[in-house]
Amino acid sequence: MQPEPLPTSERPVVAIIGGGVSGAGVAYHLARADCGKRPVIVVFEPRAELGRGLAYETSDAAHRINVPAAKMSLQPDDQGEFQAWIEARDAVADDPEARQPDGSLFPRRQLFGDYVASLLKPLLEDGTVRHCRAAVTAVEARAGRWSILDDRGGVTEADIIAIATSHPPPAAPGRLATRLAAHPRFVADTTKPGALDVIRPQDRLLVIGNGLTAADVIASLAERGHDGPVTAISRRGLRSRGHAPVPQELFGDFVSDPAHSAVSLLRGIRAAIDTAKEEGISWHGVIDQVRAQGYDLWQALPVAERRRLVRHLRPYWDVHRFRIAPQIEAVLDAAVASARLDILAGSVADARIEGEFILCTLQPRYQRQPLEGRYDAVVVTTGPSHGGILDTQPWLAALAASGHLSLDPTGLGLACTVHSEAIGPSGTADPPLLISGPLARGTFGELMGLPQVTEHAFYVAGEIAEKLRTSVTNRHLA
């Protein structure tokens, strides 16, 4: 079935590639912005609904939002909208575990996707936003516009593009992907539907990685009845932290005299944590303040220091910033207490298939002697491979080859300006090509979780609206 062609019109066309929270957020806010002449907004997203993406399309009952519902919203100026939406619909009536003793809500992750989809629905029904349920296969610059080809045979001409694609899939370390690819219980990408179905209840499991994805995997398997031994290995053996027992006030000031090196920033954060402790405030309040001031902090760091921070300190930041929901924390605590879950600092030195088993040589971080382990299954949960984004979709690689895109020097995604305009290999910005969401993290710093993602979507929508108003990049308005 061929997609319906866009109506012939003098209206400018804005194409958003990717319809998860970031892309849906850009569409939503652009539809409500003052753009001068109302644009045609087209979102390319293969999924049935906008606003879900990888994170919020899951139907796994064990998957929870990692931020209290009262702090999640598509509206930067109304953080409580999602919780109000839940309460108005009694949307957690069938989920008694969602509400915590302090009254905070950590509902199933799919519910946030329902909320975002509900905001987009009226815009889709009245034609303000058009959902092209197709995957982009090629993007080419032609005569001052963009020509977008999709896998349904459609061709869309656009004046402005916002790239809001999903995170790249995880990359198995070393030669693991090649050596273990033939094993039926080697799971290299947990984002694929049914990826964990191959894991049996008694399987001895090795989980490579120990962040949010690892926590989700262990909790999901426990929900399905898995009670076999689990070893979770990561370079530093850092487990994702949980939330404070009670809400903490923001603490510290990191922008009045901003640090210009990774080391001085680390010293400042540690000093603030010590001071906060003396005042009865946990480290949560300090980290939340760093997150809130993250953009200004990041801008103050030279590129070399950003790279140093990513290389050495990112794992520590991730486990404190990206906290697990209380329900997930309880599962992990129980597994550790029963000695069913072993968390190890180290790396996988070697692996091979031997019959039905996977034999792994583990190199502990603080030991010379390696450990030999025999497992029934291995799951990779190392997180998105942002540095490999150009290799994930041919059209991205083609845009890079034609001079429109390049990798960010920090290895966190795609290079862009502080206006979110893509930067090509020559270092020149491409005003009608914007980057929205986590792929812009190298420029904007903290852009992996809410509310930063929704704030950035609002920002990108504003940048596009300004371009449309001033007619800088749009030949329709020239």
Side-chain angles (χ1 to χ4, degrees):
M1 179 180 176
Q2 296 291 321
E4 295 180 6
L6 286 172
T8 302
S9 169
E10 288 303 307
R11 290 163 57 194
V13 178
V14 177
I16 301 167
I17 304 177
V21 171
S22 182
V26 173
Y28 176 79
H29 290 297
L30 183 60
R32 293 154 56 93
D34 174 14
C35 301
K37 197 168 189 176
R38 179 183 169 189
V40 176
I41 303 170
V42 186
V43 183
F44 289 87
E45 172 55 60
R47 294 176 178 86
E49 287 187 299
L50 299 183
R52 295 193 181 279
L54 282 175
Y56 303 108
E57 73 168 348
T58 176
S59 59
D60 193 322
H63 288 175
R64 301 271 172 182
I65 62 171
N66 297 311
V67 179
K71 294 183 178 181
M72 292 186 65
S73 172
L74 203 62
Q75 316 289 356
D77 59 350
D78 184 7
Q79 281 196 356
E81 185 182 72
F82 177 43
Q83 176 143 348
W85 182 91
I86 292 173
E87 302 289 7
R89 292 160 179 78
D90 200 13
V92 294
D94 62 343
D95 182 17
E97 293 183 7
R99 198 174 300 275
Q100 297 301 296
D102 66 354
S104 62
L105 284 174
F106 287 85
R108 295 175 181 131
R109 201 174 298 163
Q110 189 179 44
L111 195 61
F112 188 76
D114 294 343
Y115 152 75
V116 178
S118 74
L119 295 184
L120 269 294
K121 185 178 179 180
L123 299 176
L124 291 165
E125 290 176 343
D126 68 13
T128 303
V129 175
R130 179 177 187 254
H131 178 191
C132 182
R133 194 177 175 185
V136 169
T137 57
V139 178
E140 300 174 1
R142 293 180 181 174
R145 301 186 83 198
W146 300 102
S147 183
I148 304 168
L149 285 66
D150 64 58
D151 62 358
R152 293 176 61 190
V155 179
T156 301
E157 301 294 326
D159 300 282
I160 295 175
I161 290 178
I163 297 176
T165 54
S166 298
H167 302 301
R175 296 170 292 175
L176 281 185
T178 301
R179 294 206 168 194
L180 301 183
H183 196 280
R185 286 179 296 283
F186 172 62
V187 182
D189 184 0
T190 61
T191 65
K192 292 182 178 180
L196 299 180
D197 292 350
V198 297
I199 310 297
R200 302 167 300 190
Q202 302 299 320
D203 279 348
R204 291 166 295 182
L205 177 64
L206 176 66
V207 177
I208 302 174
N210 202 26
L212 291 181
T213 305
D216 278 346
V217 164
I218 294 168
S220 292
L221 290 174
E223 180 87 7
R224 301 173 185 212
H226 180 263
D227 58 2
V230 179
T231 298
I233 187 169
S234 62
R235 288 181 61 191
R236 294 168 179 82
L238 299 172
R239 172 185 156 186
S240 291
R241 306 300 200 268
H243 293 267
V246 296
Q248 301 290 298
E249 294 181 11
L250 298 181
F251 187 91
D253 177 10
F254 302 97
V255 295
S256 295
D257 184 19
H260 298 288
S261 72
V263 171
S264 59
L265 177 59
L266 177 62
R267 286 173 180 162
I269 293 173
R270 284 176 168 170
I273 289 174
D274 289 340
T275 303
K277 186 176 181 180
E278 294 174 359
E279 298 185 20
I281 299 173
S282 77
W283 58 264
H284 301 79
V286 176
I287 297 300
D288 288 346
Q289 180 71 303
V290 174
R291 182 183 68 185
Q293 298 179 340
Y295 175 78
D296 293 325
L297 286 170
W298 193 250
Q299 299 309 311
L301 293 172
V303 171
E305 291 302 315
R306 294 182 187 181
R307 296 177 67 173
R308 185 170 289 113
L309 189 152
V310 170
R311 188 165 60 249
H312 298 293
L313 299 179
R314 178 182 169 188
Y316 298 94
W317 168 253
D318 285 353
V319 298
H320 288 87
R321 158 64 180 94
F322 301 110
R323 299 162 203 161
I324 52 178
Q327 301 94 323
I328 307 296
E329 185 178 23
V331 172
L332 297 188
D333 287 346
V336 170
S338 65
R340 193 174 69 81
L341 171 60
D342 183 28
I343 296 174
L344 182 65
S347 59
V348 181
D350 198 8
R352 69 181 189 276
I353 298 174
E354 187 174 279
E356 293 185 1
F357 305 110
I358 298 175
L359 302 186
C360 294
T361 301
L362 308 182
Q363 182 57 61
R365 186 176 176 88
Y366 303 108
Q367 299 177 23
R368 289 189 176 182
Q369 189 67 30
L371 301 175
E372 301 295 332
R374 174 178 288 193
Y375 303 96
D376 301 296
V378 172
V379 179
V380 177
T381 65
T382 50
S385 179
H386 286 112
I389 182 60
L390 293 178
D391 301 323
T392 62
Q393 300 188 62
W395 63 272
L396 287 172
L399 278 176
S402 59
H404 297 286
L405 290 178
S406 61
L407 292 175
D408 181 85
T410 61
L412 293 178
L414 298 174
C416 64
T417 68
V418 293
H419 296 285
S420 249
E421 298 170 347
I423 298 175
S426 67
T428 303
D430 207 336
L433 184 63
L434 294 92
I435 313 298
S436 178
L439 293 181
R441 190 181 182 191
T443 295
F444 291 88
E446 177 49 43
L447 251 184
M448 284 289 284
L450 295 173
Q452 280 71 36
V453 167
T454 54
E455 289 171 353
H456 190 245
F458 178 80
Y459 175 76
V460 170
E463 290 292 306
I464 295 173
E466 177 64 19
K467 292 176 187 298
L468 295 174
R469 283 196 302 270
T470 57
S471 312
V472 171
T473 62
N474 195 287
R475 73 180 183 91
H476 281 297
L477 302 180

